[in-house]
Amino acid sequence: MNVGLVSNTYSSITNGKGALSSAKQTADGNSFAALVEKLRGGEEKSEASVSSSQVTARGRLNGDWTSGFAGSFTQTAAKPTGAAVNQANIHVQPKTIDKTSELYEKSLELENYFVKQMLGAMRKTVHKTNEGDFAQNMYEDMLYDEYSTAMTKSAGFGLADQIYLSLV
């Protein structure tokens, strides 16, 4: 069989993207091999370490896909929203929230967890005529994860604001 014919046929099927994909895989393989060689001692031992910033980014594994909350807000001084606006004591000075801080981002993640639990409980009340397979259930769960993230960002429940204000 002519290798050139197979290569040209594959390239025409993938509109030339096969070569690009192959080049990316080769480059990734080479950089991984260089990292392994570096860790095995191919270079000086003082430089043969991997920092956590190369492995994980802000508590997530590389390759994890999530819409998340990083960079969702640009306001550094915002008033509380939702339930956090209501204060029992009128003599307490209202505080502002730095919505770009990491603490607020973690507060949003906690609110997102609560909203996800609420949506999960609501989802259990829906009667289904047929049980889905494993893949369908997994993707449906991922869909509800994204629903809870979108609701947390836009619904204005105020739970994250209350959490933030109680921790500041």
Side-chain angles (χ1 to χ4, degrees):
M1 178 181 259
N2 188 353
V3 175
L5 178 64
V6 171
S7 174
N8 289 339
T9 304
Y10 178 70
S11 181
S12 65
I13 291 172
T14 61
N15 293 328
K17 293 181 182 175
L20 179 64
S21 175
S22 175
K24 285 181 181 179
Q25 287 177 348
T26 303
D28 288 344
N30 290 340
S31 65
F32 180 73
L35 178 64
V36 169
E37 184 63 30
K38 182 178 176 181
L39 291 174
R40 285 189 178 158
E43 295 181 12
E44 294 180 24
K45 293 288 183 181
S46 62
E47 296 180 18
S49 64
V50 178
S51 68
S52 60
S53 64
Q54 291 173 311
V55 178
T56 61
R58 300 192 64 166
R60 300 201 185 276
L61 295 174
N62 286 337
D64 277 357
W65 184 86
T66 182
S67 54
F69 300 103
S72 297
F73 299 99
T74 57
Q75 289 180 309
T76 57
K79 292 184 178 182
T81 59
V85 174
N86 303 328
Q87 296 188 5
N89 189 348
I90 59 170
H91 301 293
V92 175
Q93 292 292 328
K95 297 180 182 178
T96 59
I97 297 172
D98 180 11
K99 292 194 173 190
T100 60
S101 69
E102 190 171 349
L103 178 62
Y104 189 73
E105 183 180 328
K106 297 301 178 187
S107 300
L108 281 170
E109 288 180 11
L110 185 58
E111 178 180 341
N112 184 33
Y113 176 75
F114 292 141
V115 172
K116 171 76 169 117
Q117 294 298 316
M118 178 188 68
L119 289 176
M122 292 169 63
R123 193 169 98 188
K124 288 179 183 177
T125 64
V126 176
H127 178 69
K128 293 184 180 182
T129 57
N130 59 349
E131 289 293 320
D133 60 349
F134 177 75
Q136 179 181 352
N137 292 336
M138 180 179 65
Y139 284 113
E140 188 175 301
D141 191 50
M142 290 168 60
L143 174 67
Y144 277 87
D145 282 342
E146 290 304 310
Y147 283 160
S148 67
T149 301
M151 287 177 69
T152 301
K153 286 181 182 179
S154 61
F157 293 120
L159 293 174
D161 293 356
Q162 284 182 324
I163 295 166
Y164 178 87
L165 292 173
S166 67
L167 294 175
V168 172

